């Protein structure tokens, strides 16, 4: 395969391109979803092809083909060349790539048990058992359990001489109980909403999720929510659980620090960012205890890999240090704008998509609090658990998150359950109100398998390490 | 693209080798030619073609779905064998009745527009240059995307269904923005790319951007709003996802649950799934090969029905409306070609008749809050203006809405005669502008702690 890719690159070099790379990507997926007593989805998908990226006359072109023949790869190379030439007619400044070390390497993600080798009946059996047990209360009208597995092989070659082969396995599972009493619909999920929790691990990750151990609690809480009091509209201190905080980091720190977005390339769709370059090393993004790093090197993190899709080695890069904005997620094209080299975040959703800046594992570093102590230290407040809804404006400033369930905190103790809870805020004010983060003991890297960005829409699998944290005087409920 | 003869040959070979009691094969071929631009220059220019074969095999009511991009002879053999092997592990689904039977209905097989297929990367680059030139006159940078999609869909099953369709379309959307945080947006969809008014769209976006300077903050409240068609489309799409599909109805998760035949919106609000509207020029059958039909969803404010695929139609004693999605989806059917009944007004008339209100170009990041109550949240974006004394006034800073869509569609004061086709998430919607009373909008907090 490497020879075929390199032959296309040699041909492009002969046509005088400034730079080109070719990526063969084969993604095998298995998706199983059980709804009530039925296997709603049992599908396998194999998607394989080659994408060729070209800079010619200072402009980008890209083409992809779902074929591995040498002739088709060359056709794709030619199409990429032609589109680059068309792009060049609007170029104001020629594309220049930051230098990067050139690697010839092989990377494999950690995997003890290949999920594609685990008998399907074992996986379906687990999901069926979960669904059966979730439905033992008649008020649970729908039970959904699912497992998803991805096996990706990538070969990357460039005109600069890179030759990188990567094998990445990703696994995850989760479930949701939906309760309905004729008027109200409520749901509870485990271990996270939106299809569960994921990692670049094998089936051992699913086995370690304690799925069965949490079925009864999940069912009971879904039913309890039907008669819970609504979350009040108020301003109060809140403690946010790790999985919800993961999405908070995702939306209010991950996306606004994507440098392509900051530079305007996503303005027409996903929007821009309030974290502009003139605020780098100055913007007091959060309180002094807020430290956020982009770390693609964590073993098992869903946003971990060996090399990005420009051949840049995975790295750990500071984004927020002691509350100050100190870094961006960058690419070879964007990094020079801030005088840096790429920190390796360019990834594409398959062979037929152009790599764009994506989050890796964007982690809020842990603090020192015990969760029990943190609750005890909160006189009045609300504990927010697990995402249900999210929305943030196009500059990533004004956000509103809804969660599945909340509990009142009164005199340092968890009290009554609250339904339909929401909290809203403005990003820097919110993060500056963070005064306590739980310790490493509570810290978990939450896999987010559905991060959307770009046009055509690309889905990336990313992650966020978080522990529960407290934020002072936040707008709660549908406060406006 | 893959023509009918080749596609049907592939599918029949798959069906012949299938070991199921019933089998279905679907071949989807998509070519995407996309030019994205930002800062008034092209930054992504792509041309990709992707083929996916889906095989759904049923044996003793066990169902497996396999998808592959490998349609070589060897790849097909492997896919058929894998599909059969998956059945060993599948569970019996007693709710399954049958794949669809063939229908004698003649359907259009080709809606390729020459104006679209001849719209080359060079023409798209030229369009970007024209947009950028209009932006430059107002010191505005242009960003957006010019998208050409060409598709063929072929469906065959072991009961005799055979359907083929190929078509193409174009979409152009753009944001023109200035250094004062001002921006304007416009977009168009047309099956014929050559009919897209590039200059007209750019002028509209530029005008909105120029008017968006020096925005003022408005207090929280319930406002009379004029929603431009795109904003209406965004709300309609959320409504469709929350309740116009049979699966959410079956699972009691739809706002239509127990409401069919009842009043759920204003008398002047009607929406139907209407795949035959000429402005869509869309495929006339679904991923099961079932011909699409017109389905009234809400008529004069009364809940009329939802859309079905064959599985849920059999389960719920209904007929499939031709809304099946690809076999490996778990979301369930939803409308793909909605048409909202137009009115007699215009955006200009709506502005004139409004003493105090807010004009909204479109929303951003709309998401569910409470699907049963059709509650959503989202923010305004790229052109929000105060209306006072029947005239368009100052630009308004970003506001957030927390709003029940059905409550909004119960308070429609005026509907425009003109409609646009608004595409989002592969759903096409023909939508008018609307003037709506008592629409919830909240101000963003002022940011005081930036540096």
């Amino acid at each position: 395969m490497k020879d075929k890719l390199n032959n296309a690159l040699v041909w492009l070099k002969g046509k005088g391109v400034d730079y080109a790379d070719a990526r063969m990507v084969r993604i095998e997926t298995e998706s199983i979803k059980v709804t009530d007593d039925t296997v709603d989805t049992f599908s396998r998908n194999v998607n394989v092809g080659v994408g060729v990226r070209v800079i010619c006359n200072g402009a980008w072109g890209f083409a992809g083909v779902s074929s591995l023949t040498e002739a088709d790869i060359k056709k794709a190379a030619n199409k990429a060349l032609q589109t680059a030439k068309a792009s060049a007619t609007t170029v104001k400044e020629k594309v220049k790539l930051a230098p990067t070390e050139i690697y010839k390497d092989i990377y494999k993600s950690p995997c003890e048990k290949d999920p594609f080798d685990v008998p399907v009946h074992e996986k379906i059996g687990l999901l069926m058992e979960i669904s059966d047990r979730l439905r033992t209360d008649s008020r649970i009208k729908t039970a959904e359990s699912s497992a998803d597995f991805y096996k990706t092989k990538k070969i990357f070659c460039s005109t600069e001489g890179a030759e990188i082969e990567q094998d990445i396995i990703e696994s995850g599972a989760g479930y949701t109980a939906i309760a309905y009493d004729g008027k109200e619909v409520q749901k509870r999920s485990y271990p996270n909403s939106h299809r569960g929790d994921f990692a670049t691990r094998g089936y051992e990750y699913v086995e370690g999720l304690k799925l069965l151990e949490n079925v009864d609690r999940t069912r009971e809480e879904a039913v309890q929510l039907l008669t819970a009091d609504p979350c009040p509209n108020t301003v109060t201190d809140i403690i946010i659980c790790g999985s919800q905080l993961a999405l908070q980091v995702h939306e209010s720190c991950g996306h606004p620090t994507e440098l392509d977005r900051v530079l305007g390339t996503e303005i027409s769709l996903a929007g821009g960012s309030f974290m502009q370059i003139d605020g780098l090393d100055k913007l007091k993004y959060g309180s002094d205890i807020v430290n956020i790093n982009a770390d693609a090197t964590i073993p098992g993190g869903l946003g971990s890999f060996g090399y990005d899709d420009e051949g840049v080695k995975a790295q750990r890069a500071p984004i927020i240090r002691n509350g100050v904005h100190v870094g961006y997620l960058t690419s070879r094209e964007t990094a020079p704008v801030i005088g840096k080299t790429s920190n390796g975040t360019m990834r594409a959703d398959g062979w037929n998509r152009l790599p764009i800046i994506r989050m890796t594992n964007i982690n809020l570093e842990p603090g020192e609090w015990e969760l029990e102590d943190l609750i005890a230290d909160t006189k009045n407040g609300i504990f927010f658990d697990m995402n249900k809804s999210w929305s943030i404006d196009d500059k990533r400033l004004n956000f509103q998150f809804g969660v599945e369930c909340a509990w009142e905190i009164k005199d340092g103790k968890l009290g009554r359950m609250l339904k339909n809870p929401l909290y809203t805020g403005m990003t820097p004010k919110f993060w500056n109100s963070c005064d306590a983060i739980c310790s490493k003991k509570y810290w978990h890297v939450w896999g987010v398998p559905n991060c959307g960005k770009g046009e055509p829409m690309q889905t990336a699998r990313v992650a966020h390490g978080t522990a529960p944290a407290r934020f002072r005087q936040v707008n709660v409920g549908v406060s406006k | 693209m893959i023509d009918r003869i080749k596609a049907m040959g592939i599918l029949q070979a798959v069906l012949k080798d299938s070991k199921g009691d019933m089998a279905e094969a679907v071949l989807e071929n998509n070519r995407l030619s996309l030019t994205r631009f930002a800062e008034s220059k092209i930054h992504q220019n792509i041309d990709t073609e992707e083929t996916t074969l889906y095989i759904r095999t049923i044996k003793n009511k066990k169902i497996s779905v396999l998808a592959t991009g490998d349609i070589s002879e060897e790849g097909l053999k492997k896919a058929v064998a894998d599909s059969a092997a998956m059945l060993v592990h599948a569970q019996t689904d007693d709710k399954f009745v049958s794949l669809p039977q063939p229908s004698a209905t003649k359907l259009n097989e080709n809606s390729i527009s020459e104006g679209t297929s001849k719209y080359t990367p060079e023409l798209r680059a030229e369009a970007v240059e024209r947009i950028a030139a209009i932006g430059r006159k107002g010191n505005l940078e242009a960003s957006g995307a010019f998208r050409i999609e060409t598709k063929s869909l072929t469906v065959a099953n072991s009961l005799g269904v055979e359907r083929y369709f190929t078509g193409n379309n174009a979409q152009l959307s753009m944001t023109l923005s200035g250094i004062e945080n001002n921006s304007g947006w416009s977009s168009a969809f047309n099956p014929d790319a050559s009919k897209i008014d590039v200059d007209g769209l750019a002028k509209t976006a530029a005008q909105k951007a120029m008017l968006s300077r020096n925005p003022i903050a408005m207090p929280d409240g319930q406002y009379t709003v004029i929603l431009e068609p795109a904003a209406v489309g965004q709300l309609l799409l959320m409504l469709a996802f929350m309740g116009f599909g049979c699966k959410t109805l079956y699972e009691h998760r739809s706002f239509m649950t127990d409401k069919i035949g009842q009043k759920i919106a204003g008398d002047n609000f009607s929406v139907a799934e209407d795949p035959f509207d000429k402005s869509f020029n869309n495929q006339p059958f679904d991923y099961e090969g079932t011909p699409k039909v017109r389905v009234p969803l809400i008529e004069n404010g009364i809940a009329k029905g939802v859309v079905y695929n064959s599985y849920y139609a059999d389960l719920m004693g209904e007929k499939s409306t031709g809304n099946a999605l690809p076999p490996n989806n778990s979301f369930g059917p939803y409308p793909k070609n909605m048409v909202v009944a137009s009115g007699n007004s215009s955006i200009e008339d709506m502005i004139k008749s409004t003493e105090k209100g807010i004009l909204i170009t479109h929303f951003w990041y709309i998401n569910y809050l409470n699907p049963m109550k059709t509650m959503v949240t989202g923010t305004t974006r790229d052109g929000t203006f105060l209306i006072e004394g029947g005239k368009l006034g100052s630009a308004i800073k970003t506001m957030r809405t927390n709003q029940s869509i059905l409550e909004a569609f119960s308070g429609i004061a005026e509907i425009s005669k003109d409609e646009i086709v608004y595409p989002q998430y592969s759903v096409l919607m023909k939508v008018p502008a609307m003037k709506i009373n008592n629409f919830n909008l909240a101000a963003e907090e002022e940011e005081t702690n930036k540096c």
Side-chain angles (χ1 to χ4, degrees), chain B residues 38 42 64 97 116 199 204 248 334 356 368 398 404-405 413 438 441:
Chain B
I42 293 170
S64 73
V97 176
T116 299
D199 292 355
T204 299
T248 51
Y334 53 81
K356 187 172 183 185
Y368 315 111
T398 300
S404 156
I405 298 173
N438 302 317
L441 288 170

Side-chain angles (χ1 to χ4, degrees), chain B residues 5 7 48 68 153 191 228 275 281 308 318 348 363 393 419 446 451:
Chain B
I5 293 170
T48 67
T68 180
L153 182 70
E228 291 203 351
N281 209 15
Y308 292 87
E318 298 283 344
E348 293 72 29
F363 293 107
E419 298 188 293
E446 284 298 313
C451 291

Side-chain angles (χ1 to χ4, degrees), chain A residues 338-409:
Chain A
I338 53 168
K340 307 245 167 137
T341 54
S342 170
N343 54 26
T345 67
M346 286 286 272
R347 287 193 290 161
D349 184 9
W351 56 268
N352 56 349
R353 296 288 179 263
L354 198 57
I356 52 178
I357 292 178
R358 303 312 304 249
M359 287 175 233
T360 56
N361 305 298
I362 311 298
N363 304 324
L364 173 67
E365 299 304 331
E368 293 178 347
W369 283 79
E370 287 291 318
L371 181 57
E372 234 174 61
D373 295 343
L374 183 56
I375 293 168
D377 187 64
T378 306
K379 179 149 179 60
N380 291 305
I382 296 177
F383 185 96
F384 281 77
D385 189 33
M386 205 166 289
N387 182 262
K388 189 161 82 171
S389 150
W390 65 99
S391 175
I392 188 163
D393 72 20
D394 57 314
K395 300 287 188 296
R396 301 274 149 179
L397 266 174
N398 172 263
F399 60 79
Q400 178 173 294
F401 288 100
V403 301
E404 289 186 350
C405 186
W407 285 269
E408 190 174 46
I409 303 171

